[in-house]
């Protein structure tokens, strides 16, 4: 077993959840060897063609990763692992929300705007780690150029932004990709709506955290109204200009927003979750042209974090 490969305990947790055969008949190559090959690439960021021979043909490893990124297999595995952790009471539902910008390598540019035909099957929704029944398994359609592939322009070149919600133990719960120049605040509702941890047994998936912590980028009235509507306690500081505007309006400005400075100290959990994600070099720098493949890479990194914490 090489450094960074799945341990026997981790493999035992995943083995029963993996697909049993290929889509066109026959047997797939050994799942454990292929997953270890994908992990090696996610951890080191090497080109697919440079994978060590012990993982088998690089084409097999790459195609498996691409397929599982498209059909929602990585998302399914992450969801099952989260469900097991929740059943054991190992999820801290004080959720923190934030984002991080990722530099896109020059090879990430140039994806074709229209995908070739593919067999319609279930897959992951573009830019999120949620399964979408209308997606296609082979090569899901892009969004039409740079914006559709979550590439944004900045002074340093192309960037992609990862928006995430993390539990109180520094583990990402949900992931959303946008172009790097998109703001954080408008993505809060989208990130929280994706929280859906299945229950082992009878019952709806858990989708509402106990509380939400976020920085000033998320302090808009729309975000606070959304959180109140869902009955979610939140700790979000108010910007100076918002406070001044409210006071200038007098009684028409409304009541001051509640803010617990002691509870807010716990928001560092999402920063630590981001640091864990960026410990994987293929996450810290985006090399994939297609957004759904990069999202699969980030989802796999998240899965490993859940397995090892």
């Amino acid at each position: 077993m090489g450094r960074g490969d799945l341990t026997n305990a981790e493999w035992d947790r995943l083995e029963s959840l993996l697909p049993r055969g290929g889509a066109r008949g026959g047997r797939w190559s050994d799942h454990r060897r292929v997953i270890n090959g994908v992990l090696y690439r996610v951890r080191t960021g090497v080109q697919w063609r440079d994978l060590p021979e012990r993982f088998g043909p690089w084409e097999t490893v790459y195609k498996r990763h691409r397929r599982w990124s498209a059909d929602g297999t990585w998302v399914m595995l992450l969801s099952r692992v989260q469900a097991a952790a929740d059943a054991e009471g190992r999820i801290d539902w004080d959720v923190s929300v934030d984002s991080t910008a990722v530099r896109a390598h020059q090879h990430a540019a140039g994806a074709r705007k229209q995908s070739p035909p593919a067999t319609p099957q279930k897959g992951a929704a573009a830019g999120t780690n949620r399964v979408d029944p209308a997606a296609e398994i082979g090569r899901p359609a892009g969004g039409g150029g740079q914006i559709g592939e979550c590439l944004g322009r900045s002074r340093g070149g192309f960037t992609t932004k990862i928006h995430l919600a993390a539990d109180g133990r520094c583990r990402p719960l949900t992931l959303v990709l946008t172009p790097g120049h998109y703001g954080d605040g408008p993505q809060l509702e989208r990130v929280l709506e994706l929280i859906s941890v299945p229950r082992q047994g009878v019952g709806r998936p858990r989708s509402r955290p106990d509380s939400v912590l976020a920085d000033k980028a998320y302090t808009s009235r729309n975000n606070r109204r959304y959180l109140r509507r869902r009955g979610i306690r939140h700790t979000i500081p108010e910007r100076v200009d918002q406070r001044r505007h409210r006071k200038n309006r007098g009684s028409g400005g409304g009541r001051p927003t509640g803010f617990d400075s002691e509870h807010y100290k716990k928001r560092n959990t999402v920063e630590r979750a981001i640091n864990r994600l960026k410990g994987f070099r293929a996450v810290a720098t985006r090399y994939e042209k297609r957004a759904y493949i990069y999202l699969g890479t980030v989802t796999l990194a998240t899965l490993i974090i859940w397995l090892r914490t």
Side-chain angles (χ1 to χ4, degrees):
M1 184 176 68
R3 184 171 68 91
D5 290 355
L6 291 173
T7 65
N8 291 333
E10 294 164 357
W11 172 246
D12 290 340
R13 296 175 64 183
L14 291 180
E15 185 177 12
S16 62
L17 306 176
L18 295 170
R20 291 299 179 184
R24 298 183 180 180
R27 298 183 62 184
W28 277 347
S29 299
D30 179 62
H31 277 321
R32 186 170 185 176
R33 182 179 68 173
V34 172
I35 292 176
N36 284 335
V38 180
L39 279 179
Y40 181 89
R41 190 266 173 181
V42 172
R43 181 171 58 85
T44 63
V46 300
Q47 294 188 3
W48 290 102
R49 294 174 183 270
D50 295 331
L51 284 176
E53 295 182 358
R54 65 186 178 92
F55 299 119
W58 71 267
E59 297 95 334
T60 300
V61 180
Y62 166 70
K63 290 179 181 179
R64 189 78 54 84
H65 177 55
R66 187 186 68 184
R67 175 178 292 274
W68 285 2
S69 297
D71 67 8
T73 298
W74 294 131
V75 179
M76 178 272 293
L77 294 174
L78 176 60
S79 179
R80 297 286 184 86
V81 171
Q82 289 175 343
D86 188 41
E88 298 170 2
R90 293 189 292 107
I91 295 183
D92 184 344
W93 285 97
D94 279 343
V95 172
S96 301
V97 180
D98 205 349
S99 71
T100 181
V102 174
R103 179 72 167 87
H105 193 270
Q106 61 183 357
H107 294 165
R112 62 179 71 186
K113 293 184 179 180
Q114 293 183 349
S115 295
T119 304
Q121 294 187 20
K122 69 178 182 178
T128 70
N129 64 338
R130 170 169 288 186
V131 174
D132 179 4
E136 296 176 339
I137 185 173
R139 295 178 182 175
Q146 299 171 9
I147 299 300
E149 298 299 345
C150 298
L151 290 173
R153 287 283 188 179
S154 68
R155 291 184 178 181
F158 285 124
T159 54
T160 295
K161 186 172 284 188
I162 304 173
H163 305 263
L164 68 153
D167 80 332
R169 298 188 178 184
C170 310
R171 299 171 298 188
L173 285 167
T174 58
L175 303 164
V176 171
L177 298 186
T178 65
H181 62 278
Y182 277 29
D184 294 352
Q187 306 302 323
L188 176 68
E189 183 174 346
R190 187 180 176 195
V191 171
L192 294 182
E193 288 291 334
L194 289 176
I195 296 178
S196 180
V197 178
R199 300 184 189 272
Q200 292 188 340
V202 180
R204 297 179 179 179
R206 175 157 186 176
S207 59
R208 188 173 65 179
D210 293 335
S211 66
V212 168
L213 298 97
D215 60 21
K216 293 181 181 180
Y218 299 89
T219 188
S220 69
R221 288 187 176 183
N222 287 337
N223 285 341
R224 295 182 186 274
R225 190 179 300 116
Y226 164 76
L227 292 168
R228 286 196 298 268
R229 186 171 67 249
R230 291 193 59 189
I232 301 175
R233 294 184 294 109
H234 54 278
T235 304
I236 305 175
E238 189 178 29
R239 293 200 306 265
V240 174
D241 61 328
Q242 288 181 323
R243 189 182 305 116
R244 183 171 58 249
H245 179 64
R246 174 173 50 78
K247 290 181 178 179
N248 290 339
R249 294 182 62 187
S251 59
R255 294 178 299 177
T257 60
F259 179 71
D260 186 344
S261 58
E262 284 298 317
H263 189 218
Y264 186 69
K265 294 178 180 179
K266 196 175 180 180
R267 196 193 68 84
N268 70 83
T269 55
V270 69
E271 305 287 354
R272 290 151 63 191
I274 290 172
N275 286 339
R276 284 181 174 178
L277 278 176
K278 287 194 168 182
F280 297 86
R281 296 194 175 191
V283 174
T285 301
R286 174 179 170 177
Y287 299 99
E288 291 83 357
K289 294 181 183 296
R290 302 302 304 275
Y292 79 93
I293 300 179
Y294 179 64
L295 181 62
T297 298
V298 183
T299 303
L300 176 57
T302 301
L303 173 62
I304 297 304
I305 291 173
W306 276 87
L307 287 174
R308 296 178 178 175
T309 55

